[in-house]
Amino acid sequence: MPSVPMRRRRAFSRWGAACGALLAAVCGAQAAPVPAALAASAPADEVRDPVVNSNLDAPLFYQLLVGEMQLRTGQAGAAYQVMLDAARRTQDEALFRRTVEIALQARAGDQALAATTAWRGALPNSTEAMRYQAQLLIALNRPSEAMDPLAALLQATPPAERSALISSLPRFLQRNSDAKLVATSVEKLLQPHLGAPETRTASRVALGRLWFAAEDSARAAELLARAQQDDPAAPGPALLALEMMRSRPGSEQVVLDYLKQPRAEPMVRLNYARVLTSTQRYADAVAQLQQLTRDQPDLAPAWLTLGALQLELRHPQEAEAALKRFVELTQAGAASGAAALTQDDEDADDDAAPTAAPDRGLIQAWLLLAQAAEMRGDYAAADAWLNKVDSPQRALEVQTRRAEMLARQGKLREARALVQKVPERTPEDARAKLLAEAQVLREVKRWREASEVLARANQRFANDPDLLYEQAMIEEKLDRIDDMERLLRQVIELKPDHHHAYNALGYSLADRNKRLPEAKALIEKALQLSPGEPFITDSLGWVEYRLGNRKAALEHLRKAYSARPDTEIAAHLGEVLWVDGQRDEARKVLREAQRRDAKNEVLTEVLARLKVDL
């Protein structure tokens, strides 16, 4: 018998694999005959699943094989028609699903929707068909039409599971372009469920999210208040309140009321701490995390976030204690709740709200422990923590930390070489390296060299707002105020919502006692773009002080210091208190700042100028 050519045999192998997958999809997991030897050795009382015969006959198998072959050869339209015909004839759910997948693979949304419509027609009680149809209608930007399958899906869902489905609706619908139409449609959909005790809270919370997304925060607040009133012990209203806190500060009280309960979900307190962190209310966030770690000492993500915040507040010993506890819990396998309590990756690059997934969390903890050891001046311990990080993605960060330590020890040439030797795979890598080198130089106040590095970076990566901003900050240190202002105005032109640029320019003018009305307007614009940010609030307090408005200055500075007890904010608050005659409070604030960071330039200048005896 002649041998089959190798090329043909490979083709047969591909079709065989396709047929195997097809059979698995159509027939499901079917019991195979048990060999006699195994049957004889099986326990007499073993219970076997009954054998289910497949409906797959020879004509159907041939039809499905033809459809799969057509798909493999790029004839998606023909494959779709073959599969849809087979699905209609057999009324098989798996075949309808496969037909929809073929249409989606071909980016034929209308055909996919037609298949789901046929699916529902053939199997009107199929919840999967309802779900597919609703998803496709939403994807095709037809939300009002999606309400029919969603209503059917809600009706078909067991009452005990209905609240969970209702709670998932905002995430399911969030990508639709017409948020107001979605909210209006879902409000009609959920009318029957707003009166039922088991679904009313979930319904009001879901509607609150949708109206908030539609920028009707007043309607969202009404629904939030009613949901909390209906069920004060439910976490849903508190989680909605967390989403609304930035634009409606009054929503925070809903969170606080919920957290007073002895059985409050730890997830809510952790998310509250993260919201506080994102708005730079670090002192409040630390208080919440300390409470959480007392109540839930084995909750690893809380320790990681607490350690990062303590480090941000320049409390290295407290940071190390929290971070070591996180490492201990994670390595012992006690961080099983980490994934469920972790933020989405969008926020994961912020040291104050780090990712808590075990692998990335450990890497983050080691980097932060290195930073804490470095803050204490223990470079050997810092290097030991850095040695634990074996991640190509964090290579530049690790080498930058090492370079900063070398620079502080006077080994600037070696420090710069360490950063420069990090491999570059993409233009973004090159950009990051230039920023890292400038950072190393900035840490040891080599302003001129840092300016040269950033000038090269801006020449290579033209019109990059972040690079321009960094160079502007260095020019300010070199007292090149005209260059600083030119660069900051360029940043604002390129990125009109760059609040740091408005704040930096306004503060620089206020600090030099120049063009104070303009400085105040710039700072107020920055605060409008980033409401409540402590450093911008500090700038506003400082410009009010320069304008002679001590009462307003103290109000803003106290607010800023309460949210973030930073050394420079403390220096400003201490100076205004001192000049205002409140010298005991001024000494207290300045003494706390000195304990935190005695070498801070702004603080030492204030103490020397005012001749304050602490």
Side-chain angles (χ1 to χ4, degrees):
M1 181 177 178
S3 62
V4 178
M6 181 63 70
R7 188 175 299 170
R8 180 74 59 83
R9 281 189 294 181
R10 287 177 180 165
F12 285 164
S13 175
R14 289 199 299 271
W15 297 126
C19 292
L22 178 62
L23 283 168
V26 174
C27 303
Q30 182 173 320
V34 182
L38 291 178
S41 63
D45 59 349
E46 181 179 332
V47 178
R48 295 186 179 88
D49 293 333
V51 175
V52 179
N53 291 322
S54 169
N55 292 324
L56 183 67
D57 56 18
L60 178 59
F61 178 81
Y62 178 75
Q63 183 178 7
L64 300 183
L65 180 58
V66 168
E68 290 292 338
M69 291 174 67
Q70 288 172 325
L71 183 63
R72 291 294 182 100
T73 55
Q75 302 176 67
Y80 168 84
Q81 292 296 340
V82 169
M83 287 294 184
L84 182 56
D85 178 69
R88 280 173 168 156
R89 286 195 301 105
T90 60
Q91 296 193 351
D92 187 288
E93 197 137 38
L95 288 180
F96 277 116
R97 187 187 309 114
R98 180 62 177 148
T99 307
V100 175
E101 289 170 357
I102 290 171
L104 291 175
Q105 185 178 334
R107 299 182 182 276
D110 289 337
Q111 283 75 18
L113 182 59
T116 59
T117 302
W119 186 356
R120 280 198 68 196
L123 300 166
N125 295 324
S126 169
T127 56
E128 191 174 7
M130 299 169 191
R131 188 176 293 108
Y132 265 74
Q133 189 178 28
Q135 288 173 330
L136 282 164
L137 286 165
I138 292 298
L140 293 169
N141 204 22
R142 292 155 65 176
S144 56
E145 296 177 52
M147 296 305 119
D148 172 65
L150 283 176
L153 183 59
L154 281 168
Q155 187 64 33
T157 301
E161 301 171 16
R162 208 167 280 156
S163 286
L165 176 59
I166 291 171
S167 297
S168 71
L169 288 177
R171 182 177 292 274
F172 173 61
L173 297 162
Q174 66 183 356
R175 294 182 180 178
N176 193 269
S177 59
D178 193 337
K180 188 173 182 180
L181 175 61
V182 168
T184 303
S185 300
V186 175
E187 189 142 33
K188 294 176 183 176
L189 171 72
L190 294 181
Q191 280 302 318
H193 306 282
L194 286 167
E198 64 273 14
T199 55
R200 65 188 181 188
T201 301
S203 297
R204 288 192 173 92
V205 170
L207 287 170
R209 283 198 169 91
L210 290 169
W211 281 115
F212 186 64
E215 299 183 355
D216 190 340
S217 58
R219 176 66 178 139
E222 290 174 13
L223 288 158
L224 172 61
R226 184 67 186 275
Q228 187 196 31
Q229 181 183 350
D230 287 343
D231 191 355
L239 292 170
L240 171 58
L242 286 173
E243 296 177 27
M244 297 172 60
M245 266 179 56
R246 286 198 180 196
S247 59
R248 291 189 73 93
S251 303
E252 185 172 6
Q253 191 58 48
V254 174
V255 182
L256 295 172
D257 290 343
Y258 173 79
L259 291 175
K260 290 175 184 176
Q261 301 177 83
R263 294 187 179 181
E265 290 283 345
M267 177 183 66
V268 176
R269 194 179 297 276
L270 182 57
N271 285 339
Y272 179 43
R274 286 170 170 164
V275 171
L276 292 171
T277 299
S278 70
T279 54
Q280 297 194 43
R281 289 172 56 184
Y282 289 170
D284 292 338
V286 165
Q288 291 298 325
L289 289 164
Q290 287 172 334
Q291 179 67 49
L292 182 56
T293 52
R294 284 194 295 270
D295 295 342
Q296 302 283 330
D298 291 339
L299 187 60
W303 289 106
L304 180 56
T305 308
L306 177 59
L309 280 172
Q310 294 285 25
L311 195 58
E312 185 71 25
L313 294 171
R314 303 191 68 82
H315 299 154
Q317 286 82 6
E318 294 89 338
E320 284 180 321
L323 293 166
K324 286 177 180 178
R325 177 63 175 157
F326 169 80
V327 171
E328 176 189 348
L329 287 169
T330 304
Q331 291 182 332
S336 58
L341 296 172
T342 301
Q343 284 182 300
D344 292 337
D345 282 355
E346 303 69 23
D347 301 313
D349 58 346
D350 184 355
D351 274 359
T355 303
D359 291 343
R360 287 178 294 171
L362 275 174
I363 291 172
Q364 190 68 44
W366 291 330
L367 289 167
L368 292 170
L369 281 163
Q371 191 176 341
E374 183 184 348
M375 197 176 289
R376 293 188 294 100
D378 190 344
Y379 297 137
D383 194 59
W385 288 116
L386 291 174
N387 284 335
K388 292 180 177 291
V389 180
D390 184 16
S391 170
Q393 292 78 18
R394 310 304 285 267
L396 179 59
E397 186 176 355
V398 170
Q399 295 300 71
T400 302
R401 295 276 174 88
R402 287 198 171 105
E404 288 176 2
M405 289 190 287
L406 286 171
R408 290 193 185 99
Q409 297 171 74
K411 302 174 182 177
L412 188 58
R413 182 177 297 176
E414 295 95 317
R416 296 181 72 174
L418 202 60
V419 173
Q420 291 166 356
K421 288 177 183 176
V422 175
E424 293 178 22
R425 292 179 293 273
T426 65
E428 180 56 35
D429 291 341
R431 176 185 178 278
K433 281 177 61 177
L434 289 165
L435 273 171
E437 188 177 355
Q439 178 182 325
V440 170
L441 292 163
R442 188 172 58 236
E443 286 295 315
V444 290
K445 301 177 185 177
R446 300 294 287 265
W447 311 120
R448 193 172 300 280
E449 290 96 322
S451 176
E452 291 168 359
V453 170
L454 287 166
R456 290 203 310 273
N458 277 304
Q459 191 171 22
R460 182 172 176 182
F461 302 97
N463 295 325
D464 184 309
D466 294 330
L467 289 173
L468 290 166
Y469 176 81
E470 292 297 325
Q471 187 176 1
M473 295 300 91
I474 297 299
E475 299 305 313
E476 193 263 348
K477 291 292 185 182
L478 290 167
D479 206 30
R480 300 170 180 170
I481 305 306
D482 291 342
D483 290 335
M484 178 206 70
E485 182 169 351
R486 173 181 55 78
L487 289 165
L488 288 176
R489 292 199 181 279
Q490 189 176 347
V491 172
I492 291 168
E493 183 179 352
L494 290 167
K495 192 175 181 183
D497 61 347
H498 199 298
H499 58 275
H500 293 303
Y502 288 100
N503 181 55
L505 182 53
Y507 175 78
S508 180
L509 292 171
D511 201 43
R512 288 168 173 75
N513 221 1
K514 293 181 178 179
R515 294 150 53 192
L516 295 179
E518 181 185 354
K520 183 178 178 180
L522 287 162
I523 294 166
E524 287 176 335
K525 175 65 175 178
L527 205 55
Q528 179 186 340
L529 291 168
S530 184
E533 184 166 323
F535 283 121
I536 304 177
T537 305
D538 167 69
S539 298
L540 186 57
W542 196 237
V543 76
E544 291 285 15
Y545 171 60
R546 292 297 200 195
L547 286 164
N549 305 324
R550 288 185 198 167
K551 183 178 179 181
L554 284 172
E555 181 181 343
H556 294 308
L557 291 169
R558 282 197 171 103
K559 183 178 179 181
Y561 188 62
S562 174
R564 180 164 181 166
D566 176 81
T567 304
E568 292 189 15
I569 298 175
H572 291 151
L573 176 58
E575 177 168 345
V576 178
L577 286 168
W578 186 270
V579 172
D580 199 51
Q582 302 181 53
R583 301 204 166 181
D584 289 342
E585 186 181 353
R587 284 193 178 92
K588 180 184 176 183
V589 170
L590 294 169
R591 196 178 296 120
E592 288 174 355
Q594 191 178 55
R595 281 199 299 267
R596 190 176 298 114
D597 186 6
K599 296 180 180 179
N600 181 274
E601 287 183 3
V602 175
L603 176 64
T604 54
E605 192 274 332
V606 165
L607 293 174
R609 179 160 43 79
L610 298 179
K611 299 179 181 178
V612 178
D613 180 15
L614 298 181

